[in-house]
Amino acid sequence: MSIPRRILEERFRRFVEEDIGHGDVTTEYTIPNGTVVTAHIIAKEAGVIAGIEEASMFIESFGLEVDPLIEDGSKIRERTPILHIEGDAATLLSIERTLLNLLSRMSGIATTTNRLLEKIYQAGYKTRVASTRKTAPGLLHFDKKAVIIGRGDAHRRGLDDMVLIKDNHISIVGSAKEAIEKVRERVSFSKKIEVEVTNIDDALEAAKTGVDIIMLDNFSPKQAKEAIDLLERNQLRTKVLVEASGGITEQNILEYASTGVDVVSLGEITHSAKVLDISLDIINIKKQKF
Amino acid sequence: MSIPRRILEERFRRFVEEDIGHGDVTTEYTIPNGTVVTAHIIAKEAGVIAGIEEASMFIESFGLEVDPLIEDGSKIRERTPILHIEGDAATLLSIERTLLNLLSRMSGIATTTNRLLEKIYQAGYKTRVASTRKTAPGLLHFDKKAVIIGRGDAHRRGLDDMVLIKDNHISIVGSAKEAIEKVRERVSFSKKIEVEVTNIDDALEAAKTGVDIIMLDNFSPKQAKEAIDLLERNQLRTKVLVEASGGITEQNILEYASTGVDVVSLGEITHSAKVLDISLDIINIKKQKF
Amino acid sequence: MSIPRRILEERFRRFVEEDIGHGDVTTEYTIPNGTVVTAHIIAKEAGVIAGIEEASMFIESFGLEVDPLIEDGSKIRERTPILHIEGDAATLLSIERTLLNLLSRMSGIATTTNRLLEKIYQAGYKTRVASTRKTAPGLLHFDKKAVIIGRGDAHRRGLDDMVLIKDNHISIVGSAKEAIEKVRERVSFSKKIEVEVTNIDDALEAAKTGVDIIMLDNFSPKQAKEAIDLLERNQLRTKVLVEASGGITEQNILEYASTGVDVVSLGEITHSAKVLDISLDIINIKKQKF
Amino acid sequence: MSIPRRILEERFRRFVEEDIGHGDVTTEYTIPNGTVVTAHIIAKEAGVIAGIEEASMFIESFGLEVDPLIEDGSKIRERTPILHIEGDAATLLSIERTLLNLLSRMSGIATTTNRLLEKIYQAGYKTRVASTRKTAPGLLHFDKKAVIIGRGDAHRRGLDDMVLIKDNHISIVGSAKEAIEKVRERVSFSKKIEVEVTNIDDALEAAKTGVDIIMLDNFSPKQAKEAIDLLERNQLRTKVLVEASGGITEQNILEYASTGVDVVSLGEITHSAKVLDISLDIINIKKQKF
Amino acid sequence: MSIPRRILEERFRRFVEEDIGHGDVTTEYTIPNGTVVTAHIIAKEAGVIAGIEEASMFIESFGLEVDPLIEDGSKIRERTPILHIEGDAATLLSIERTLLNLLSRMSGIATTTNRLLEKIYQAGYKTRVASTRKTAPGLLHFDKKAVIIGRGDAHRRGLDDMVLIKDNHISIVGSAKEAIEKVRERVSFSKKIEVEVTNIDDALEAAKTGVDIIMLDNFSPKQAKEAIDLLERNQLRTKVLVEASGGITEQNILEYASTGVDVVSLGEITHSAKVLDISLDIINIKKQKF
Amino acid sequence: MSIPRRILEERFRRFVEEDIGHGDVTTEYTIPNGTVVTAHIIAKEAGVIAGIEEASMFIESFGLEVDPLIEDGSKIRERTPILHIEGDAATLLSIERTLLNLLSRMSGIATTTNRLLEKIYQAGYKTRVASTRKTAPGLLHFDKKAVIIGRGDAHRRGLDDMVLIKDNHISIVGSAKEAIEKVRERVSFSKKIEVEVTNIDDALEAAKTGVDIIMLDNFSPKQAKEAIDLLERNQLRTKVLVEASGGITEQNILEYASTGVDVVSLGEITHSAKVLDISLDIINIKKQKF
């Protein structure tokens, strides 16, 4: 657990607050005070489940009891119960949709990430699959966590996580070389430095400066292969990590993996992943004395 | 503008705060204080743009100047500049990703919604396309706004927006009839009432109680047609709005439209819409005196 | 319970935080650490109690135990104990005033609302008594909840709750008719539409457009009666709900009820209701070991 | 201005946020983007206006221009324009109700406070009229500010403002004397100490301990007079301030003033003051280019 | 306990949230889910411990169990265990540094304050040692609380706590006399008034106006003595409290105490106190079943 | 500027809010509405100024105009004006103390950091001086920023910034080797890894695993030298960065620098730095028309 429950609870509260607005009127008018239910959250599709830990905190923070039935990262078949819940019916119905939205999104991201990774591993490559910062606004933590659960690499978790010199920084400073020098003068010893390059020559130049990682931006697989070969010929391949990014999709990912790059990163695993279909079934109802 | 700028600004601040964490270190180390840039936000794909109003408020709230180049809801061709920005370079680079994430998501939702709608209209139907509450957590407002910009119907904007009696409410209360009665006793005159039904008989029963809207839940197009027919035979068709929901996709949406239901609603236009590819180009750099 | 405890707790925290400021110095200097007390909250006046549910959440959220002795909406005689509390003395004394302020206000509103309603029912009318949005700033939820507990109609719970076209909207758009048309083009099927009218002809016009509710603004009882008659003569009375608003007081409310309007709404039940006198009695003191 | 604008703005934002919820749908559907209006806020009743400063900050913080037409504390006749506003129509209509609620409440409190004070002064007394902490939850600042504008004494602005030993503190500690001693041992030199007494003997005892203020709790005017006399006979009258509290109303306030107490405090000027009728008139409409 | 737990918890959450950012990655990668540890917090240096109450709330609010081993204000020898903690290892490690930072700072302030006080008492004086508002931003409450635990006087806890007319107020108003008059006209009876003076004559003038406290600003001990003498000669010494402030240090504090002033106040006990060295030792590890 | 103004403004607001509480009563009672002043912030001591950028944002966010007179990181002589301010007097006086507290603390930290660094550089070493996370709670950003301005190395800016395996992680996992392996399996390619060692053998073992940085925890200078020698003999010195931490002070820092470690880190530059004496002088007063 990398973010304490108390901090995440505040985010869950805000999510629900937006939906609930002036009150869940349907629940208010239909559910008798003190009704207690037991319910299952069920994944209706097969996939990799993510969000069990977050959902458990979410549910408990609203005063309900929860029993996780599987662990985060489990590959499950369709119609698998994943969480068992017991508690106040009105509260459960009021948070149901928000809770399912979180689980469905996280599981969708984990499932997509994992599918790409398996494709690569089954083809015999060891390339890492990394996410980008192309997440939904406000969901950086949850989207990245889902990528990790799907066995992907989170890459930078935020703008503070590593120095990543991109095209816009370079165009303002004047050249990648100058940008790297400026960073070197001031950066903490605790940070890695990555630089984005747009052609093979720049890749070589960047590697010579001793940066930790080079990002090949929008290289075709063929160009990426040439960059790798050039680094090897210059005996720089072992000194630098190489990431390919831009234009990578589920269709062409193996071509990129075959070039020998260390990492491929793609935005679509977070910004456009199909959610996993997950729903809530009430399995028992009892009336508690007030 | 339905939510004042001041309130949305707070949400933009939170989005950026999550990404920026302890500081945008790349910008900190590379961009000289006082650098001012002009930039374009460019839609790289064709689609329906949504989020121009939100993005403008976002940008201004961080102290930059903005000129919208198109209006929300515009259908644009690929590589269309949509916003012109001028201001402090470090600030712009620090908010760039979050801003693009918002615009891409909203435009993706608007584009998808609009495509479905056009399909229906071109086939000669008048069925409304509505979203559900299956949005990304915390983005209810932005996701619903994008649906509206895509000419869809937002449906309930939150749990407080209309009474919608669903399966879980009914299973707790005992029957749809009883649930409707309980609501009637207490509901404000200002609220509409919708009830979810799972078979044709229940649809008829519900219509007889005088609810405003009936949701046919997971009906096949054939079943939906039968329900409509039954309502007509009982002279209830004009007294109630009929919504089909569950299992509706881009593939089968015309079949549903053809049944005569008033509204079709689907979660995938918000929870799994492919984002529109939008990026930021810096077009001019000047150094301001400190 | 229409808003989950977790969300309301945050509001209670803010209320107390304002009062407590840099600390409850009296408690700090007088109450020994670890002192535990039992206390009663007592309604010193007769009335309709509202806020039992909120007060219970409030008290528990500050770590004290609470036993409600009556239910929300109960009509009680003077000097009735309504809540039993046990826990840390310093905490209880620090929240006492804020807690009583909430209970007194909510009960005052419920009592006033209920008194008007009884007056109407005892005179043999069925007119609903509705509140307006003339509440205390920040207390919309609590004020409206109190109205409901007093058996009134909450009316719109906020600006998002129904379309209500008022004089200022009409003056900007040009005419009520045009305003209604603009709304119709874009409004979700899930929303009702109400329009404010200032004379009998406009009332008829509005009813003809098919809006759900007509608000007779500042009509005298005589004018209201004429409007109702006109609608009946035009066979529109059953198609539209009629609300009278403006200038209605406890004194003239029966005159309005007698006109046949469906709803009377008045601001004074929320903005100027006399609070109910409620206080806290400590009934037992014990010293807990530290 | 005792609380900087930036801090109050946050409270205004929260007030509006509660009302606006998922968006002001009426404005959204009726008011064209870019409509600019001029408006007056008008006090429809005579009274003492309070909240001009707060309302001005409120309006400006939402991006509108404001011109105060009178100063806080002005006594105005009915139908006096008090603020002139210009700006975006949709924003103004979205904040209108919340703004008026704040102004009406504050002006109602100031008017009531001032009326009591004038009554006392016209009868030739110099007794101060003080409020209590019986305010609306979350409105402590605004309610107290209104009392001050009405020329009343705010008394403690919160629990941190002075030591005020009340019955409940005394019952826990054992005796007023002991409570005062405990406070004396630890209290900062910067704080005054007040103690609540319930009979004449205790008043004398308390005065002897050298506390700064004695609160005669629920004393009849006759008892209050006796307490004053007793203090004078013991030559303690000049050494201590005397406050009468509990059971004081507009009806009996002169009787209390006549006893010679320094201060009378009463909750009803904040918790149950009738609000002043204030409304917004749009006086000019123009369409701004988008 | 002068601020309820619920309110302080929110501040603890914010402190941790800043440090934790996108997650405690070390803990995330090393500590197995469900690991439970027992730990001691140990003061490695001798001193006066402050923050036991706050730390206990802090720890519990993050879901861990805590047993205070000593009370706030205890003078301890080096290597004294002060808190016993049990609970989830990952959570404990994530809050460890923030928790220790709070305890170390508060204990450093209490230790410094107490050392000065003892110096004064051992020299036979009764002068109070007070803090100023020169605290760390955002830590006013914790810094002042630590001063109190060290037996110092908190002085004003914030800008709302007493009227303190300083040089800048005087320079704007024109003279101390005028400033005092302006305050007198409007101030609540519940507030004390202190005025800062910069020479002996002003001290006398101020005392004559009847203010409660005079602050001798940057007086040398000799000047302070002269001021005290002058007040005595004018028979005003018993009517006013005298505080010396500015330029007072651990070195010269006895000289000030010897002048007969009632209070000496110094900023360095809060703004530059050396923290007490406190650390966390894990003493037992067990693996809990998931 | 690494954190956008909008985000920092929120923190400034909170700082002031705590101090201001129910209102700055002194200002309220003495400063006429509409008074405008010009003022200088003056460093009364020589040192390295930090916080100019933050203070400027702070001041502007409260509606005042500011002109920085020097840049962050400037070494100034005593009595140097550093900021010029113009605006509303009441607002300025209300934020004065909080503003000075921030500037004094940041400048104190920068001055201390810089002094240590100069000592090292003047002795001919190139050792970096780094801070730890031993900051004041809630001030991580400001304390770290001040270290950077003083030319120190911020080290980890928070728990998310690098993997740093410390004694407590190791004791839970079993051994440093195992901990490093666990991290390696899961860590993102974007993160560096540092491990804390307590003896020379462990330092060698850690270097062999290929971690990026080794922290020599509480090594004497002699032990540190031995560790460096051992790494050199094993040809690992160039492959790993070496940090010395624990027990380092201004007195012994040169001894550590002489050992050849790359970085020395010490808590006292943030947790116990003496603040720089900075104050506000009003230099001109004018009365603005209301």
Side-chain angles (χ1 to χ4, degrees), chain A residues 99-264:
Chain A
L99 180 64
L100 294 177
N101 286 346
L102 183 68
L103 272 167
S104 303
R105 179 174 178 88
M106 287 184 72
S107 299
I109 290 173
T111 301
T112 305
T113 304
N114 199 254
R115 192 174 60 236
L116 295 184
L117 207 70
E118 300 254 305
K119 197 168 175 179
I120 286 173
Y121 287 1
Q122 281 162 13
Y125 302 112
K126 297 195 165 170
T127 328
R128 290 179 178 219
V129 174
S131 62
T132 65
R133 280 174 37 258
K134 294 185 176 175
T135 61
L139 297 174
L140 198 50
H141 170 72
F142 300 107
D143 285 4
K144 292 276 179 181
K145 178 84 183 280
V147 168
I148 294 172
I149 289 170
R151 314 276 176 218
D153 189 306
H155 209 300
R156 286 198 296 171
R157 294 184 185 199
L159 283 166
D160 51 353
D161 204 9
M162 172 173 62
V163 176
L164 173 38
I165 304 168
K166 306 199 74 171
D167 53 350
N168 281 333
H169 302 102
I170 293 170
S171 74
I172 289 170
V173 177
S175 72
K177 193 152 170 284
E178 219 173 323
I180 294 166
E181 268 163 28
K182 283 173 84 82
V183 169
R184 276 279 159 71
E185 273 167 40
R186 302 175 57 202
V187 70
S188 169
F189 67 89
S190 61
K191 294 257 173 235
K192 287 196 175 174
I193 304 173
E194 176 167 10
V195 64
E196 190 178 290
V197 297
T198 51
N199 61 60
I200 293 172
D201 295 339
D202 286 0
L204 183 62
E205 280 312 299
K208 284 180 180 166
T209 66
V211 294
D212 299 287
I213 307 145
I214 297 171
M215 180 193 282
L216 310 179
D217 184 37
N218 278 305
F219 278 47
S220 68
K222 184 159 168 291
Q223 291 169 315
K225 184 75 184 69
E226 286 170 16
I228 295 288
D229 291 348
L230 186 62
L231 291 174
E232 270 170 2
R233 281 199 305 278
N234 283 272
Q235 286 168 325
L236 289 162
R237 184 63 192 93
T238 58
K239 304 233 163 98
V240 74
L241 217 77
V242 180
E243 172 184 358
S245 192
I248 302 175
T249 63
E250 191 156 358
Q251 281 64 48
N252 64 21
I253 198 166
L254 283 188
E255 292 178 63
Y256 280 96
S258 75
T259 62
V261 297
D262 302 293
V263 182
V264 293

Side-chain angles (χ1 to χ4, degrees), chain C residues 39 69 95 97 138 211 242-243:
Chain C
L69 304 176
I95 67 170
R97 186 70 265 145
V211 294
V242 180
E243 172 185 358

Side-chain angles (χ1 to χ4, degrees), chain A residues 40-59:
Chain A
H40 272 170
I41 291 188
I42 294 176
K44 293 161 82 177
E45 289 181 274
V48 174
I49 297 300
I52 292 296
E53 191 179 8
E54 277 72 17
S56 300
M57 292 177 185
F58 186 162
I59 294 162

Side-chain angles (χ1 to χ4, degrees), chain B residues 125 221-222 224 251-260:
Chain B
Y125 301 112
K222 183 158 168 289
Q251 281 65 47
N252 65 21
I253 198 167
L254 283 188
E255 291 178 64
Y256 279 96
S258 74
T259 62

Side-chain angles (χ1 to χ4, degrees), chain A residues 1-3 157, chain E residues 20 22-32 89-90 93-94, chain F residues 133 156 158-170 172-173 178-180 182-184 186-187 191-196:
Chain A
M1 184 185 66
S2 69
I3 298 191
R157 294 184 185 199
Chain E
I20 214 97
H22 310 289
D24 175 356
V25 287
T26 312
T27 295
E28 179 179 334
Y29 296 142
T30 56
I31 308 301
L93 293 177
S94 293
Chain F
R133 281 173 38 257
R156 286 197 297 171
L159 282 167
D160 52 352
D161 204 8
M162 171 173 61
V163 177
L164 173 39
I165 304 168
K166 306 198 73 173
D167 53 349
N168 281 333
H169 302 101
I170 292 169
I172 288 171
V173 178
E178 219 173 323
I180 294 166
K182 283 174 85 84
V183 169
R184 276 278 160 69
R186 302 175 56 201
V187 69
K191 293 258 174 237
K192 286 197 176 171
I193 303 173
E194 175 167 9
V195 65
E196 188 179 291

